[in-house]
Amino acid sequence: MAFIYSEPSHTFSEYLLVPGYTSENCIPANVTLRTPLVKFKKGEQSAINLNIPMVSAIKQSVSDSGMAIALAKEGGMSFIYGSQSIEDEAAMVAKVKNYKAGFVVSDSNLRPDSTLKDVVTLIEKTGHSTIAITEDGSSCGKLIGIVSSRDFSVTRMSEDTPVKSFMTPREKLVVANESISLTEAYDLIWESKVNQLPIVDKNDNLLYLVFRKDYAQHEEQPLELVDSNHRFMVGAGINTKDYAERVPALIEAGADVLCIDSSEGYTIWQKKTIDFIREKYGDSVKVGAGNVVDRDGFMFLAEAGADFIKVGIGGGSICITREQKGIGRGQATALIEVAAARDEYFEKTGIYIPICSDGGIVHDYHMTLALAMGADFMMLGRYFARFDESPTPKLNVNGTYVKEYWGEGSNRARNWQRYDLGGKEKLSFEEGVDSYVVYAGSLKDNVNKSLYKVKSTMCNCGVINIPDLQKNAKITLVSATSIVEGGYHDVMLKTTNKNI
């Protein structure tokens, strides 16, 4: 007879935190969310720490280079999606590592013989009003001029007007060479009263643009996640099929950490992948594994050599693994058991392996619960898919702005490698859906709001760091009636005039 658990598995929504004593020191400004990303020995520090406990999911609709840069600015990390060619994934990683904070590689470029129509089309596509005019129309071609919104008028000029006739030409631009520092660049912008400063190499090829508007933002990024060379840190997803070719390419591109992207981690295929990395690189290359939902799965990946372990099967908003295969476990129950296994392993070996809660986060308070239940950080997909910085376009559907979001197991992604069981090289059935999420605005604003809630709740629990939250939090299971009671009830909501 199959083993049957005596207790049902639970989700985050079935729990609440019970307040602890709040001292004068317990204020959000004093809370630190710094947390380890990869394993370390007792008495030592993790080789990589996150400044906020958030990483973005390894999904086509979530984690590209743009998301990675935006999240690193806030102190978290993205894992570039692996369901693309090795060359394309490595290029995304390299783009993040080559990005200089405040130095922007131009994504709006045209040739001198382009027309006003091309300008308008490009602005509509990118949303950026500054266009670099280069000899070959590339982001790194010889700089010929700059077009900004003040250089043209769509009502006064013909759409066939060539760019070269209304651009600000190279000889009239304030330009700097590649040796300039960011501080010096901003000083030059202010002294010259310009809105952007092109940075060129010795052959006058465009390298970057520095914008006046980015100055304040740069000053407000005290938590940015950077390596020893002050480059943004970035992770990359790998699979259990082409790791022998993909891993070296990603390491060469500069990936700081890898993660096996799989729906289920308690497999020989994950051990083989980790074995390859350890044999070729030793412990110098960090790699996360998963996903698991119990003690046995954690212990297997811990012994296999994983640097962090992801927890969760079937809890994602676009995941239908449980519906299709009947495999999975309530996220809260899975996390509680794996966290206990992590602590048991630490006591036995002196090695602390961080765990990542992947899936099941519906409300912001679920983040605090996940951390209190033992997660060191969280991997989020739907949460980040809603923001400006995700790879998908903003659409208007029935009067509501949305962004596209699809699972790696959907027919759209067809990421069969993620579901590798040593069988055919194809996706036999779907384990994810194709969907929309309501557009939410900028990553920075939303992350700051969510994490302020986390900090505030931690203060209610009487703690100002994640280890103390895990040690001292009091958590209670609630009844179905209590869940209903937790929202507004027995009142009539006022309607709001959105035009006011």
PDB file of all heavy atoms in Angstrom, residues 234-246:
ATOM      1  N   VAL A 234      24.260  38.304 -11.919  1.00  0.00           N
ATOM      2  CA  VAL A 234      23.184  37.684 -12.681  1.00  0.00           C
ATOM      3  C   VAL A 234      23.326  36.167 -12.636  1.00  0.00           C
ATOM      4  O   VAL A 234      24.429  35.627 -12.624  1.00  0.00           O
ATOM      5  CB  VAL A 234      23.186  38.191 -14.141  1.00  0.00           C
ATOM      6  CG1 VAL A 234      24.483  37.826 -14.849  1.00  0.00           C
ATOM      7  CG2 VAL A 234      21.991  37.653 -14.920  1.00  0.00           C
ATOM      8  N   GLY A 235      22.185  35.480 -12.576  1.00  0.00           N
ATOM      9  CA  GLY A 235      22.173  34.031 -12.635  1.00  0.00           C
ATOM     10  C   GLY A 235      21.693  33.562 -13.997  1.00  0.00           C
ATOM     11  O   GLY A 235      21.218  34.353 -14.822  1.00  0.00           O
ATOM     12  N   ALA A 236      21.791  32.260 -14.238  1.00  0.00           N
ATOM     13  CA  ALA A 236      21.371  31.706 -15.530  1.00  0.00           C
ATOM     14  C   ALA A 236      20.811  30.310 -15.330  1.00  0.00           C
ATOM     15  O   ALA A 236      21.342  29.519 -14.539  1.00  0.00           O
ATOM     16  CB  ALA A 236      22.543  31.666 -16.506  1.00  0.00           C
ATOM     17  N   GLY A 237      19.733  30.018 -16.050  1.00  0.00           N
ATOM     18  CA  GLY A 237      19.116  28.703 -15.987  1.00  0.00           C
ATOM     19  C   GLY A 237      19.801  27.715 -16.916  1.00  0.00           C
ATOM     20  O   GLY A 237      20.221  28.070 -18.016  1.00  0.00           O
ATOM     21  N   ILE A 238      19.919  26.481 -16.455  1.00  0.00           N
ATOM     22  CA  ILE A 238      20.459  25.401 -17.281  1.00  0.00           C
ATOM     23  C   ILE A 238      19.496  24.222 -17.216  1.00  0.00           C
ATOM     24  O   ILE A 238      18.574  24.200 -16.387  1.00  0.00           O
ATOM     25  CB  ILE A 238      21.862  24.957 -16.833  1.00  0.00           C
ATOM     26  CG1 ILE A 238      21.828  24.432 -15.390  1.00  0.00           C
ATOM     27  CG2 ILE A 238      22.860  26.108 -16.956  1.00  0.00           C
ATOM     28  CD1 ILE A 238      23.148  23.836 -14.913  1.00  0.00           C
ATOM     29  N   ASN A 239      19.673  23.242 -18.097  1.00  0.00           N
ATOM     30  CA  ASN A 239      18.832  22.051 -18.069  1.00  0.00           C
ATOM     31  C   ASN A 239      19.697  20.803 -17.921  1.00  0.00           C
ATOM     32  O   ASN A 239      20.926  20.896 -17.840  1.00  0.00           O
ATOM     33  CB  ASN A 239      17.949  21.982 -19.324  1.00  0.00           C
ATOM     34  CG  ASN A 239      18.775  21.899 -20.598  1.00  0.00           C
ATOM     35  OD1 ASN A 239      19.463  20.912 -20.844  1.00  0.00           O
ATOM     36  ND2 ASN A 239      18.712  22.940 -21.434  1.00  0.00           N
ATOM     37  N   THR A 240      19.052  19.658 -17.872  1.00  0.00           N
ATOM     38  CA  THR A 240      19.787  18.406 -17.658  1.00  0.00           C
ATOM     39  C   THR A 240      20.083  17.670 -18.953  1.00  0.00           C
ATOM     40  O   THR A 240      20.400  16.485 -18.936  1.00  0.00           O
ATOM     41  CB  THR A 240      18.995  17.481 -16.713  1.00  0.00           C
ATOM     42  OG1 THR A 240      17.694  17.227 -17.275  1.00  0.00           O
ATOM     43  CG2 THR A 240      18.822  18.107 -15.342  1.00  0.00           C
ATOM     44  N   LYS A 241      19.997  18.389 -20.076  1.00  0.00           N
ATOM     45  CA  LYS A 241      20.273  17.785 -21.381  1.00  0.00           C
ATOM     46  C   LYS A 241      21.585  18.286 -21.981  1.00  0.00           C
ATOM     47  O   LYS A 241      22.511  17.506 -22.243  1.00  0.00           O
ATOM     48  CB  LYS A 241      19.114  18.070 -22.342  1.00  0.00           C
ATOM     49  CG  LYS A 241      17.916  17.157 -22.160  1.00  0.00           C
ATOM     50  CD  LYS A 241      18.212  15.738 -22.625  1.00  0.00           C
ATOM     51  CE  LYS A 241      16.982  14.859 -22.600  1.00  0.00           C
ATOM     52  NZ  LYS A 241      17.254  13.477 -23.048  1.00  0.00           N
ATOM     53  N   ASP A 242      21.674  19.616 -22.227  1.00  0.00           N
ATOM     54  CA  ASP A 242      22.839  20.146 -22.947  1.00  0.00           C
ATOM     55  C   ASP A 242      23.819  20.880 -22.034  1.00  0.00           C
ATOM     56  O   ASP A 242      24.534  21.775 -22.462  1.00  0.00           O
ATOM     57  CB  ASP A 242      22.385  21.058 -24.088  1.00  0.00           C
ATOM     58  CG  ASP A 242      21.653  22.313 -23.610  1.00  0.00           C
ATOM     59  OD1 ASP A 242      21.597  22.550 -22.387  1.00  0.00           O
ATOM     60  OD2 ASP A 242      21.139  23.061 -24.467  1.00  0.00           O
ATOM     61  N   TYR A 243      23.861  20.484 -20.746  1.00  0.00           N
ATOM     62  CA  TYR A 243      24.698  21.190 -19.779  1.00  0.00           C
ATOM     63  C   TYR A 243      26.184  21.183 -20.148  1.00  0.00           C
ATOM     64  O   TYR A 243      26.910  22.126 -19.834  1.00  0.00           O
ATOM     65  CB  TYR A 243      24.498  20.613 -18.378  1.00  0.00           C
ATOM     66  CG  TYR A 243      24.684  19.114 -18.271  1.00  0.00           C
ATOM     67  CD1 TYR A 243      25.945  18.543 -18.137  1.00  0.00           C
ATOM     68  CD2 TYR A 243      23.589  18.262 -18.277  1.00  0.00           C
ATOM     69  CE1 TYR A 243      26.106  17.180 -18.032  1.00  0.00           C
ATOM     70  CE2 TYR A 243      23.740  16.889 -18.168  1.00  0.00           C
ATOM     71  CZ  TYR A 243      25.000  16.351 -18.044  1.00  0.00           C
ATOM     72  OH  TYR A 243      25.167  14.989 -17.944  1.00  0.00           O
ATOM     73  N   ALA A 244      26.647  20.142 -20.822  1.00  0.00           N
ATOM     74  CA  ALA A 244      28.074  20.068 -21.165  1.00  0.00           C
ATOM     75  C   ALA A 244      28.488  21.199 -22.106  1.00  0.00           C
ATOM     76  O   ALA A 244      29.643  21.643 -22.084  1.00  0.00           O
ATOM     77  CB  ALA A 244      28.392  18.723 -21.799  1.00  0.00           C
ATOM     78  N   GLU A 245      27.563  21.673 -22.921  1.00  0.00           N
ATOM     79  CA  GLU A 245      27.841  22.791 -23.832  1.00  0.00           C
ATOM     80  C   GLU A 245      27.377  24.119 -23.237  1.00  0.00           C
ATOM     81  O   GLU A 245      28.044  25.143 -23.389  1.00  0.00           O
ATOM     82  CB  GLU A 245      27.139  22.586 -25.184  1.00  0.00           C
ATOM     83  CG  GLU A 245      27.598  21.377 -25.972  1.00  0.00           C
ATOM     84  CD  GLU A 245      27.005  20.078 -25.451  1.00  0.00           C
ATOM     85  OE1 GLU A 245      25.832  20.096 -24.990  1.00  0.00           O
ATOM     86  OE2 GLU A 245      27.708  19.042 -25.490  1.00  0.00           O
ATOM     87  N   ARG A 246      26.244  24.126 -22.545  1.00  0.00           N
ATOM     88  CA  ARG A 246      25.654  25.373 -22.056  1.00  0.00           C
ATOM     89  C   ARG A 246      26.429  25.958 -20.877  1.00  0.00           C
ATOM     90  O   ARG A 246      26.669  27.163 -20.814  1.00  0.00           O
ATOM     91  CB  ARG A 246      24.186  25.140 -21.673  1.00  0.00           C
ATOM     92  CG  ARG A 246      23.412  26.424 -21.372  1.00  0.00           C
ATOM     93  CD  ARG A 246      21.922  26.142 -21.150  1.00  0.00           C
ATOM     94  NE  ARG A 246      21.271  25.651 -22.353  1.00  0.00           N
ATOM     95  CZ  ARG A 246      20.656  26.445 -23.239  1.00  0.00           C
ATOM     96  NH1 ARG A 246      20.623  27.758 -23.044  1.00  0.00           N
ATOM     97  NH2 ARG A 246      20.082  25.920 -24.306  1.00  0.00           N
TER      98      ARG A 246
END
